[in-house]
Amino acid sequence: MAFIALTPEQVLNFSHTTYQSYEKNSENTLSYTNIVGIADLTIDFLMYAYIHNFNKELCAETFAFFDKNISYEASFYQRRVIIRLYKALFDNDTEKVDFYTRLLEEDNFTFCLQNVPITKKDSSHAH
């Protein structure tokens, strides 16, 4: 959450430098705690990016980094859902936004939804 005090340019530079550092040292085995920190940094960056209206291109490096480096272990499930939610937001994919939002709401994991527009389906037009 230290991103709050930084300008968008500083956040982009910090994130880029962090990802490059991780990639450069990825042959070293990182601890679970380090991987959690990297996943959380990714989420913090995406929250900042969304709030500050970054375009999708400015987030491309983060999504690529996430796809390549964040583990598919069960312990990372919530983080993966949050990151996928932000990817859906940047893609303007309302169906996926609704899907990931419902998953997070189901588990009362709503801290990451405070700035996310939630669309409710209108069931009065069901076919």
Side-chain angles (χ1 to χ4, degrees):
M1 296 319 282
F3 286 154
I4 292 171
L6 301 177
T7 67
E9 293 78 21
Q10 290 171 320
V11 168
L12 285 166
N13 185 50
F14 175 80
S15 298
H16 175 73
T17 302
T18 302
Y19 300 148
Q20 280 188 327
S21 175
Y22 175 80
E23 292 285 338
K24 194 180 298 182
N25 297 306
S26 64
E27 65 276 355
N28 301 327
T29 304
L30 292 177
S31 70
Y32 175 81
T33 303
N34 286 342
I35 296 170
V36 167
I38 291 165
D40 290 344
L41 170 72
T42 302
I43 291 169
D44 289 346
F45 170 82
L46 292 171
M47 286 180 174
Y48 183 97
Y50 186 73
I51 291 167
H52 287 86
N53 299 312
F54 284 21
N55 63 36
K56 183 178 173 181
E57 289 74 32
L58 291 176
C59 299
E61 179 181 35
T62 297
F63 291 123
F65 179 84
F66 158 74
D67 286 337
K68 182 177 176 187
N69 296 293
I70 304 303
S71 175
Y72 284 93
E73 295 175 31
S75 58
F76 288 97
Y77 176 73
Q78 291 286 39
R79 289 173 181 88
R80 293 189 70 78
V81 169
I82 294 167
I83 293 168
R84 296 229 181 267
L85 166 67
Y86 279 94
K87 186 166 187 337
L89 285 165
F90 282 101
D91 287 341
N92 292 314
D93 187 333
T94 56
E95 279 188 41
K96 285 185 179 179
V97 168
D98 289 343
F99 173 75
Y100 292 124
T101 298
R102 283 194 310 274
L103 283 176
L104 293 166
E105 285 176 330
E106 182 79 19
D107 287 328
N108 227 5
F109 211 75
T110 56
F111 78 90
C112 58
L113 300 175
Q114 61 191 352
N115 298 303
V116 174
I118 299 174
T119 59
K120 300 296 180 195
K121 300 232 185 255
D122 182 1
S123 60
S124 65
H125 300 295
H127 298 291

